[in-house]
Amino acid sequence: MTALDLSSPVAVVGTGTMGQGIAQVALVAGHPVRLYDAAPGRADAAAEAIGARLDRLVEKDRLTSAERDAARTRLQSAGNLTDLADCVLVVEAVLEELDVKQRLFRDLEDIVEDDCLLATNTSSLSVTAIGGALRNPGRLVGLHFFNPAPLLPLVEVVSGFATDVTSATRAYETARAWGKTPVACADTPGFIVNRIARPFYAEAFAVYEAQAADPATIDAILRESGGFRMGAFELTDLIGQDVNESVTHSVWQSFFQDVRFTPSLAQRRLVESGRLGRKAGHGWYDYAADAERSEPHTAEKAQAPAYVVVEGDLGPASELLALIREAGIQVREDEEDHGTRLVLPSGGQLVLADGQTSVEFRDVVYFDLALDYRKATRIALSASQDTAPQTLSEAVGLFQALGKDVSVIGDVPGMVVARTVARIVDLAHDAVAKGVATEEDIDTAMRLGVNYPLGPFEWSRRLGRSWACSLLDDLHQRDPSGRYAPSLALYRHAYASEKREGTS
């Protein structure tokens, strides 16, 4: 099954920001495009706005004048739905209400030809439910573009329960012909990105609600240690707190209030107060012109230890040993393997976040996971009230000697980056096991859709097959609500690996 012929007309119904973006993508790809909006005059205004954006593309040398002029001749506004009768594809980008979308597609069924592909750009509704109102639900498919559609490459091609394979394949190939990167997924709440991304926000909010760190510090840790482009608080301020919470609530409700997707009470209070983020001038952060910039907590300068004793190989943090040696700090190796940790001169221990808490041990400081310990510019540490001040000071001084800023947070299991990555990995394995998408498509979706530094399965391979399961199991023991219980898919993945390693 091939992509739609570029000479065939495509229609977009709904001419808001997303509708205009989708229309522009199809137009630049070479299709004749028709715009329809139920509100009088909006389709004409949208055509003018798209024309203005084409002008800017010419100014930026991304489009020639001839290509712009040709595109403008292919763009038309439609006064009635009946003007879309000969279109081979109709994409809707109307209000996110099920009855509105169902009514639109029922009307279209009486207008377009039987082989016309119908597509919904819904991000939160069930494609299956939308198609359930049609005589032929097999030709309805989800085409979920990300905003701004002309710039972001990802398109989730969603097959409802009744979607024909030929319809999904044609939609997939058409998206690819338009210069996009399509990923195929089943009709599940949140599809790929909005399902698997929930822990990125939820765990940051949970650490904040536990009063372990403030938003600026958590954001800095996610960026400077985890390698994420933005932290959860600044990103939700950009998205809009009401929008982000609405997606979280929709996924939670659609999964029958599964505890793994529980919304944040702190975010609810933010929305109730009208602090919706950048668009409101205040969210987690204050965006007033005279507002003082929120800075992350950074520890004061401390003396580096003269040496450390390494026990085990430090697992995902093994690269630290080379950095410590390069900093001129002696690394002594304990011939007896007591675990995976560094022992400081004070006798205290420095341990990679593992889902346990510092207060459970005599004198332990935990350090958080980093995407790349060499490139990371900040490292988070956590300690309890019982941790010896000298141990914490030596731990701070050690990482400062490696050129890192250090943030000391409260004694929360799994810290910030580690618990976030572990939960993302778990949801990704669970999604594959339930037929939502392939590993490759999930990695692609998370890198392109939300700019993650690695896809979940790339993280999993880097960290070790049992790492996420072990950390979540420890977290689950400390919070038995079910939020951190490893999925059966992740458990099977880790256990199979351990059996193979044990018999090799």
Side-chain angles (χ1 to χ4, degrees), residues 191-250:
F191 308 142
I192 298 175
V193 172
N194 281 329
R195 172 179 177 151
I196 295 174
R198 294 347 295 162
F200 179 74
Y201 314 108
E203 295 312 308
F205 298 162
V207 172
Y208 168 77
E209 289 173 339
Q211 300 186 54
D214 60 276
T217 300
I218 296 169
D219 277 353
I221 293 167
L222 286 167
R223 287 193 316 269
E224 300 172 36
S225 183
F228 293 95
R229 185 167 297 184
M230 298 181 73
F233 296 90
E234 58 187 338
L235 180 55
T236 52
D237 266 0
L238 179 63
I239 294 169
Q241 298 302 330
D242 52 340
V243 174
N244 181 261
E245 191 208 28
S246 176
V247 173
T248 298
H249 196 271
S250 174

Side-chain angles (χ1 to χ4, degrees), residues 316-327:
S318 58
E319 187 181 19
L320 281 175
L321 298 180
L323 298 180
I324 293 171
R325 290 188 177 97
E326 291 168 16

